[in-house]
């Protein structure tokens, strides 16, 4: 049994670790995917804002400016099968002579060769016409209204995008499109952006952006909630399974102890009965009437003990199936208590005194008289067994309004605080008992609790080691 329980524990823990690990692995990939998606959307938003910023500068061009910009493209028909051009694009900056002339729209229109101040030529290969036109537009915007990093940063901040480490750099090669890279940090992801504000002159802006962690968690809210519920359910099932296994293990140990104790307890009356039968089988000894009386008395005593053990086992077995039969009627409690005191079995080596007290207008109560007698009898029997040679028992019966309280107080060995919550468990016997040969099968107090709860009442105890114990039975009336 121990080996199987250990195997179940190991397999359960391994399974739990694998499931939690799998959940963690899935969440990690989901987190990386959410981070990547967030960065892609953020990159698109920044590209759109950068485009708007460039168009704003481009739209501010005016021919009242000191210079006019024109450009022309050479070898425009050199187009490959993918629709990309290899050409030379030339830009001309010249003195403004005509008002309201948009020289960039009037492509290839050079007004006066003598007025040209600067000519910039760029050879570009395998570039689409759309990208080429965009690069020319950016060049024109930069010549008339240069890019300002501060204004671009303010535009992004207005859209809740915060840049850090902003730099304007000269790239080694032409960067036609804005791009970004991301860091590999898990909890503080960061993206590094590069946006060409003047591709032909290899001028670009670089910066870094801290990705807000709450935004990522918000995107993963349902995944995190589902994973949390699954993990909590798994942990609950694991704890419940371990508790069940421990409980079953405890029950198994208690059953083994019960079987051993029961064998020991049944062995004594059987041995006694065997001796009595052997005595009765001897004709010469049967003539001794005094000895015959003692034999019959001992036989009846052991048979009563055996019947009591079997009755407890029977009632506890019925309780396992949720059935404790009651025969409720009105009877005289004083008469029942007096009878129990008169018939109590007192060991020869002990002196027992029982003092009944009644705080009742009438000693007539409504309950099952047999079960009430068994409750009181079991508590008196325990008080005698677990006390010294001089035993004092106070039995109080108190009736207030619609409640009957039966209290039995002894001057016995008491119950340690650590065991007080366990004494009502089936088959439990305390570890503090000084003499392990004291008869008992660990069913007495659980039997008392069973019968009390069958009456819809409750049982409690107060105890101090070496001073004594008080059991209180509270029954509704």
């Amino acid at each position: 049994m121990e080996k199987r329980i250990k195997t179940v524990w190991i397999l359960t823990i391994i399974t739990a670790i694998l499931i939690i690990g799998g959940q963690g692995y899935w969440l990690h990939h989901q987190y990386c995917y959410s981070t990547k998606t967030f960065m892609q959307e953020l990159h698109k938003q920044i590209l759109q804002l950068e485009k708007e910023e460039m168009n704003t500068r481009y739209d501010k061009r005016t021919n009242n400016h000191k210079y006019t910009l024109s450009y022309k493209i050479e070898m425009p028909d050199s187009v490959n099968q993918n629709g990309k051009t290899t050409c030379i694009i030339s830009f001309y900056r010249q003195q403004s002579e005509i008002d309201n002339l948009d020289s960039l729209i009037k492509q290839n229109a050079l007004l006066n060769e003598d007025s040209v101040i600067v000519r910039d030529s760029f050879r570009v290969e395998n570039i689409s016409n759309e990208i080429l036109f965009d690069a020319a537009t950016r060049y024109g915007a930069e010549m008339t209204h240069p890019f300002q990093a501060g204004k671009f940063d303010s535009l992004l901040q207005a859209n809740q995008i915060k840049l850090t480490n902003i730099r304007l750099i000269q790239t080694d090669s032409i960067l036609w499109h804005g791009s970004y890279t991301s860091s590999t940090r898990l909890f503080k992801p960061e993206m590094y952006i590069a946006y060409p504000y003047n591709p032909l002159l290899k001028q670009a802006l670089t910066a870094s952006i801290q990705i807000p962690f709450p935004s990522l968690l918000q995107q993963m809210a349902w995944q995190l909630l589902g994973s949390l519920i699954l993990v909590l359910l798994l942990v609950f099932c694991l704890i419940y399974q371990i508790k069940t296994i421990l409980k079953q293990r405890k029950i198994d140990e208690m059953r083994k102890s019960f079987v051993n104790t029961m064998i020991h307890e049944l062995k004594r009356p059987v041995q006694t009965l065997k001796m009595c039968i052997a005595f009765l089988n001897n004709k010469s000894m049967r003539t001794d009437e005094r000895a015959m009386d003692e034999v019959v008395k001992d036989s009846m005593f052991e048979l009563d003990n055996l019947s009591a053990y079997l009755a407890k086992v029977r009632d506890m077995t019925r309780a396992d199936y949720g059935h404790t039969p009651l025969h409720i009627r009105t009877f005289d409690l004083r008469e029942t208590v007096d009878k129990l005191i008169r018939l109590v079995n007192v060991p020869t080596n002990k002196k027992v005194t029982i003092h009944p007290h009644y705080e009742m207008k009438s000693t007539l109560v409504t309950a099952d008289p047999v079960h009430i007698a068994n409750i009181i009898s079991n508590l008196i029997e325990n008080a005698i067994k677990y006390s010294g040679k001089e035993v004092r028992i106070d039995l109080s019966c108190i009736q207030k309004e619609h409640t009957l309280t039966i209290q039995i107080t002894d001057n016995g060995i008491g119950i340690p605080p650590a065991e007080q919550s366990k004494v009502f468990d089936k088959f439990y016997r305390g570890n503090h008992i000084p003499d392990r040969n004291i008869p008992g099968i660990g069913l007495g107090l659980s039997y008392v609790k069973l019968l009390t709860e069958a009456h819809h009442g409750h049982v409690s105890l107060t105890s101090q080691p070496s001073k004594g114990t008080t059991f209180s039975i509270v029954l509704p009336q």
Side-chain angles (χ1 to χ4, degrees):
M1 184 68 177
E2 290 287 335
K3 187 176 181 181
R4 280 185 290 176
I5 290 176
K6 193 175 292 185
T7 303
V8 170
W9 278 13
I10 292 173
L11 291 177
T12 301
I13 292 172
I14 291 175
T15 303
I17 291 173
L18 289 175
I19 293 176
I20 293 174
Q23 277 293 304
Y25 181 78
W26 177 78
L27 280 176
H28 172 71
H29 278 267
Q30 190 67 23
Y31 175 79
C32 292
Y33 174 77
S34 297
T35 303
K36 182 180 178 181
T37 304
F38 186 85
M39 287 184 178
Q40 288 175 348
E41 294 298 324
L42 186 60
H43 176 59
K44 289 180 181 179
Q45 186 181 2
I46 294 174
L47 282 178
Q48 182 65 31
L49 293 172
E50 191 269 342
K51 185 75 172 177
E52 291 176 4
E53 187 274 339
M54 188 275 296
N55 289 335
T56 301
R57 289 188 292 118
Y58 182 77
D59 292 340
K60 287 181 180 179
R61 291 178 306 108
T62 172
N63 285 324
N64 291 326
H65 196 271
K66 185 178 180 181
Y67 300 107
T68 301
L69 185 68
S70 300
Y71 73 90
K72 69 177 181 179
I73 300 174
E74 301 175 16
M75 301 172 62
D77 55 342
S78 178
V79 180
N80 62 18
Q81 59 182 358
N82 295 322
K84 294 184 177 180
T85 305
T86 299
C87 62
I88 297 174
I89 180 170
S90 300
F91 292 90
Y92 302 88
R93 277 187 290 173
Q94 58 190 19
Q95 296 272 350
S96 295
E97 296 179 358
I98 303 176
D99 294 336
N100 303 321
L101 179 63
D102 189 346
S103 57
L104 272 179
I105 295 178
K106 291 184 63 179
Q107 298 181 17
N108 304 321
L110 191 58
L111 301 177
N112 187 350
E113 288 286 349
D114 295 333
S115 64
V116 174
I117 300 173
V118 178
R119 170 176 173 167
D120 290 330
S121 296
F122 306 95
R123 180 180 178 84
V124 293
E125 296 182 353
N126 296 325
I127 196 73
S128 67
N129 292 333
E130 182 181 356
I131 295 176
L132 184 62
F133 180 77
D134 181 72
T137 303
R138 290 176 183 274
Y139 182 92
E142 183 65 20
M143 292 301 102
T144 56
H145 292 82
F147 175 81
Q148 295 181 21
K151 288 186 177 181
F152 182 60
D153 183 36
S154 299
L155 176 63
L156 294 184
Q157 286 191 24
N159 288 271
Q160 288 77 45
I161 302 173
K162 185 177 180 180
L163 300 181
T164 57
N165 302 323
I166 302 173
R167 291 194 304 156
L168 301 179
I169 63 168
Q170 196 79 19
T171 60
D172 295 331
S173 59
I174 295 177
L175 183 64
W176 298 109
H177 301 284
S179 61
Y180 75 94
T181 57
S182 59
S183 67
T184 57
R185 288 183 295 182
L186 184 61
F187 294 109
K188 289 185 178 180
E190 192 173 12
M191 64 184 294
Y192 309 100
I193 61 172
Y195 293 102
Y197 59 88
N198 193 358
L200 294 174
L201 291 180
K202 302 179 182 178
Q203 294 174 330
L205 173 141
T206 61
S208 57
I209 303 175
Q210 293 283 347
I211 303 301
F213 193 64
S215 299
L216 296 177
L217 292 181
Q218 189 175 3
Q219 285 189 353
M220 297 177 61
W222 288 110
Q223 293 92 327
L224 289 172
L225 181 61
S227 296
L228 180 63
I229 292 174
L230 183 62
V231 170
L232 290 177
L233 182 62
L234 176 65
V235 171
F236 171 77
C237 292
L238 179 62
I239 293 174
Y240 184 77
Q241 184 181 31
I242 291 175
K243 287 182 68 176
T244 303
I245 291 174
L246 290 174
K247 186 176 180 180
Q248 291 298 322
R249 184 181 179 183
K250 182 180 178 182
I251 290 174
D252 184 62
E253 291 176 353
M254 292 169 66
R255 281 176 178 168
K256 288 179 181 178
S257 176
F258 166 72
V259 170
N260 293 331
T261 305
M262 195 69 176
I263 291 172
H264 175 74
E265 293 299 321
L266 293 178
K267 186 177 180 181
R268 182 166 52 85
V270 170
Q271 290 289 350
T272 303
L273 290 173
K274 283 180 67 177
M275 291 174 59
C276 293
I277 296 297
F279 176 83
L280 293 175
N281 196 39
N282 191 320
K283 294 182 180 180
S284 60
M285 296 182 70
R286 278 186 292 183
T287 57
D288 189 345
E289 292 185 3
R290 184 177 178 182
M292 279 287 294
D293 291 340
E294 290 293 331
V295 168
V296 172
K297 183 178 178 181
D298 290 342
S299 300
M300 290 301 297
F301 176 76
E302 295 300 340
L303 286 172
D304 288 341
N305 285 340
L306 185 59
S307 298
Y309 288 146
L310 295 176
K312 289 179 184 177
V313 174
R314 179 200 63 201
D315 291 339
M316 297 303 291
T317 303
R318 286 177 177 174
D320 288 337
Y321 293 95
H323 177 65
T324 304
L326 295 178
H327 301 285
I328 304 295
R329 65 181 180 85
T330 301
F331 65 98
D332 192 330
L333 181 61
R334 182 192 292 270
E335 182 181 324
T336 300
V337 171
D338 291 343
K339 181 179 179 181
L340 290 172
I341 294 174
R342 187 172 63 253
L343 298 177
V344 70
N345 177 36
V346 179
T348 56
N349 62 338
K350 292 189 177 185
K351 181 182 178 182
V352 179
T353 56
I354 302 175
H355 304 278
H357 306 279
Y358 301 93
E359 296 181 19
M360 310 170 66
K361 292 181 179 180
S362 170
T363 56
L364 294 178
V365 298
T366 303
D368 187 315
V370 176
H371 286 336
I372 296 300
N374 287 336
I375 290 172
I376 297 173
S377 176
N378 270 276
L379 293 176
I380 292 176
E381 180 184 340
N382 279 357
I384 296 172
K385 281 198 299 186
Y386 302 113
S387 296
K389 291 185 178 181
E390 292 192 4
V391 184
R392 176 185 172 87
I393 300 173
D394 293 313
L395 198 159
S396 302
C397 300
I398 304 168
Q399 190 168 26
K400 291 182 179 180
E401 297 180 354
H402 301 289
T403 302
L404 171 65
T405 302
I406 302 173
Q407 290 184 337
I408 298 178
T409 304
D410 61 55
N411 61 341
I413 60 176
I415 303 171
E419 295 185 4
Q420 291 180 12
S421 61
K422 303 176 184 178
V423 294
F424 294 105
D425 295 342
K426 291 181 185 178
F427 315 125
Y428 181 81
R429 299 199 75 195
N431 297 319
H432 72 292
I433 301 174
D435 185 3
R436 302 302 296 183
N437 292 322
I438 295 177
I441 57 177
L443 285 178
L445 292 179
S446 60
Y447 182 59
V448 169
K449 182 181 179 183
L450 168 70
L451 298 182
T452 303
E453 291 179 349
H455 283 81
H456 304 290
H458 64 272
V459 58
S460 60
L461 69 89
T462 56
S463 181
Q464 290 184 341
S466 303
K467 292 187 176 181
T469 303
T470 298
F471 284 92
S472 299
I473 309 296
V474 180
L475 303 174
Q477 289 293 294

